[in-house]
Amino acid sequence: MPVPVPRPRAIPAVEGGQAQAASLPGAQTAQTAQGPSARAKAQNDTLTLLVIEDDPAGSPIVPEMLDSAGRPIRLRTARNLTEAERLLTDDVHCILLDLALPAPGRAAEEDDELAVLRHVLQLAPRHAVLALTASGDAERGAEAVRVGAQDYLFREELDGRLLSRAIRYAVERKRSDTAERRLTESKLRAQENARLERGLLPTPLLDGSSLRFAARYRPGRSRALLGGDFYDTVRTPDGTVHAMIGDVCGHGPDEAALGVELRIAWRALTLAGLCGDELLSTLQQVLEHERDNDEIFATLCTVDIAPDGRRAGLCLAGHPAPLIARPNRPAELLPYDNNGPALGLLPGARWPRMQVELGPVWSLMLYTDGLIEGRVGQDGERLGQDGMVELVRRRLAEGLRGEELLRATVNEVRDLNGGELTDDVAVVLLDRAP
């Protein structure tokens, strides 16, 4: 079949390189009548095709084309991949590639007939690609689609209508493939985040304990699922209940993964019998070996409650002190005078363990700093620990306990902030009933 000769067409301007833009008769007059904004919109809406062929000036293969709205499809041409890279701007929608074009370094790639296509796909991963081949080489065209092209066309059968339809199809298929890939990636990220979140927010091991447990976690507004806050609660064979809450500086999957590692390490070390300074020193070693850079640190609060439930040991590593509420007494913070440094800040640091009296009936609330760093009032001041204590006192006076107390507290802090908090919030509540 002879190669079709394209119909004569008006050429008002050069697109770039050897490229020429096709236009319908009278288009120039219509554009002159339009304003600058209308012309800019028309350019943005017009499809642009980049043809990569070894000698387009000597043997034109692309006939006049119109898009679905009847507008001429803009054309750019390149004689080699070097020119193509220069002309491959963001306004190009589709690439028509002649598979007969020699690829760079072809001598080393004689066995790869699609080397030029692979090179173009690497060069333009976001663009639709049409492969052009001879009519007797359908197998090569099909292989080009398997490699990554959106479709293939026979050189001898090209006409304007066929090519226009193929371009629109290729562009839409590329958009669909891209959307599907992004959806798949989003689902995978959500699954990974869910796994990390389960690692950050575990099920407490409190079998045999009379203490009641409640927890609440709320990610900051810049993240969908997780941050660097983590907590855990376990009961050791001697009847001691150990609780922990911590916060890795920063946000995102890396910080969340480090938080999971610290939580699992804390649980393992606690079940192995470590406590207080010895446990925190070992956790610091874990953090120093696992963090990405020396500026990453983590704050931590650990509490070990005696089997009789009346007293506890408290260690603070740069973390806010827990709040305790007891009958006939206002809620208050536990002592924090011996607060040690955050993990990862000072090599060889020590964390003294303070003995605190809890009493027969109490509620102990551990929290991360996201709960106290929200804004309040017209001046945008921080809520702070004092503001949080007052807030919890009011909620306790209303008779709220357990999950209801945590939910109401976190919601009020968010409302006072005027919207979602910028930092993650994790809160753990342990109750000893009469």
Side-chain angles (χ1 to χ4, degrees):
M1 180 182 294
V3 178
V5 178
R7 299 189 303 274
R9 49 183 172 167
I11 303 175
V14 176
E15 287 285 346
Q18 300 293 324
Q20 295 175 331
S23 68
L24 292 174
Q28 187 171 359
T29 304
Q31 289 183 1
T32 304
Q34 293 174 339
S37 61
R39 288 196 299 270
K41 184 179 186 303
Q43 288 182 348
N44 291 334
D45 292 341
T46 302
L47 289 174
T48 300
L49 174 69
L50 172 62
V51 179
I52 308 176
E53 190 199 12
D54 55 354
D55 190 13
S59 56
I61 62 170
V62 180
E64 181 179 290
M65 300 168 293
L66 302 178
D67 63 15
S68 59
R71 295 176 297 236
I73 295 177
R74 293 187 295 176
L75 177 66
R76 296 180 184 177
T77 57
R79 291 168 296 193
N80 50 55
L81 295 182
T82 301
E83 284 188 11
E85 186 172 3
R86 178 172 59 84
L87 297 174
L88 192 60
T89 53
D90 290 338
D91 59 337
V92 172
H93 299 87
C94 185
I95 298 171
L96 179 63
L97 173 66
D98 186 357
L99 295 182
L101 186 74
R106 184 60 185 267
E109 303 179 22
E110 287 295 339
D111 295 336
D112 188 358
E113 295 183 345
L114 298 177
V116 64
L117 173 61
R118 299 181 198 277
H119 187 88
V120 169
L121 292 175
Q122 291 180 353
L123 190 67
R126 298 189 303 272
H127 292 76
V129 177
L130 289 171
L132 188 65
T133 187
S135 59
D137 205 0
E139 184 176 346
R140 189 181 186 186
E143 182 63 23
V145 174
R146 284 192 290 270
V147 167
Q150 273 60 58
D151 202 350
Y152 69 93
L153 300 169
F154 295 134
R155 172 191 290 268
E156 295 84 356
E157 298 178 4
L158 276 186
D159 60 46
R161 185 175 180 181
L162 172 65
L163 184 55
S164 299
R165 185 170 65 248
I167 292 170
R168 296 195 298 270
Y169 168 77
V171 170
E172 291 305 318
R173 181 175 177 181
K174 184 65 177 181
R175 288 173 180 168
S176 176
D177 291 345
T178 300
E180 184 176 355
R181 186 184 70 253
R182 288 175 178 172
L183 178 60
T184 300
E185 291 173 352
S186 177
K187 289 180 178 178
L188 289 174
R189 282 195 299 269
Q191 291 172 1
E192 292 173 356
N193 287 350
R195 286 194 291 271
L196 280 173
E197 192 173 54
R198 286 196 297 270
L200 289 167
L201 317 177
T203 302
L205 298 179
L206 290 175
D207 292 345
S209 172
S210 62
L211 299 183
R212 294 180 300 186
F213 171 89
R216 192 153 184 86
Y217 172 77
R218 193 182 197 102
R221 64 177 172 224
S222 61
R223 292 159 302 283
L225 287 174
L226 53 86
D229 293 5
F230 56 98
Y231 61 79
D232 204 353
T233 307
V234 299
R235 180 177 182 268
T236 48
D238 64 354
T240 302
V241 172
H242 302 260
M244 171 271 290
I245 195 165
D247 183 4
V248 177
C249 71
H251 307 286
D254 291 338
E255 288 75 15
L258 182 55
V260 172
E261 292 181 88
L262 292 176
R263 186 200 65 76
I264 293 174
W266 176 87
R267 175 175 281 200
L269 294 170
T270 299
L271 293 175
L274 273 66
C275 188
D277 181 74
E278 185 180 11
L279 186 149
L280 292 176
S281 297
T282 308
L283 283 179
Q284 173 155 287
Q285 295 179 39
V286 173
L287 184 146
E288 290 172 345
H289 284 89
E290 297 296 330
R291 63 187 175 182
D292 292 335
N293 62 72
D294 294 342
E295 296 182 358
I296 298 295
F297 63 90
T299 66
L300 202 71
C301 168
T302 67
V303 176
D304 55 280
I305 302 167
D308 64 6
R310 291 176 171 268
R311 60 190 183 281
L314 171 66
C315 285
L316 296 174
H319 201 88
L323 178 146
I324 186 169
R326 290 169 280 207
N328 303 319
R329 296 175 61 177
E332 60 184 348
L333 300 176
L334 289 179
Y336 52 90
D337 296 338
N338 291 327
N339 195 341
L343 302 181
L345 289 183
L346 299 176
R350 305 300 298 270
W351 294 272
R353 178 176 175 272
M354 298 172 283
Q355 191 73 21
V356 294
E357 294 295 326
L358 301 178
V361 179
W362 46 264
S363 294
L364 190 65
M365 190 175 84
L366 287 64
Y367 53 93
T368 56
D369 58 6
L371 189 66
I372 59 177
E373 290 186 348
R375 304 289 181 175
V376 294
Q378 298 270 337
D379 298 332
E381 297 179 357
R382 300 285 188 183
L383 174 65
Q385 288 180 287
D386 292 340
M388 181 207 65
V389 171
E390 290 299 323
L391 189 156
V392 173
R393 285 176 179 174
R394 285 190 284 102
R395 294 300 184 180
L396 288 170
E398 296 171 2
L400 299 184
R401 298 292 186 274
E403 290 278 1
E404 290 185 351
L405 174 63
L406 296 188
R407 185 183 303 109
T409 299
V410 173
N411 287 343
E412 184 172 351
V413 170
R414 181 198 60 187
D415 293 341
L416 289 172
N417 188 64
E420 292 295 342
L421 300 162
T422 56
D423 200 2
D424 307 302
V425 175
V427 191
V428 172
L429 187 67
L430 290 170
D431 291 317
R432 187 170 190 264

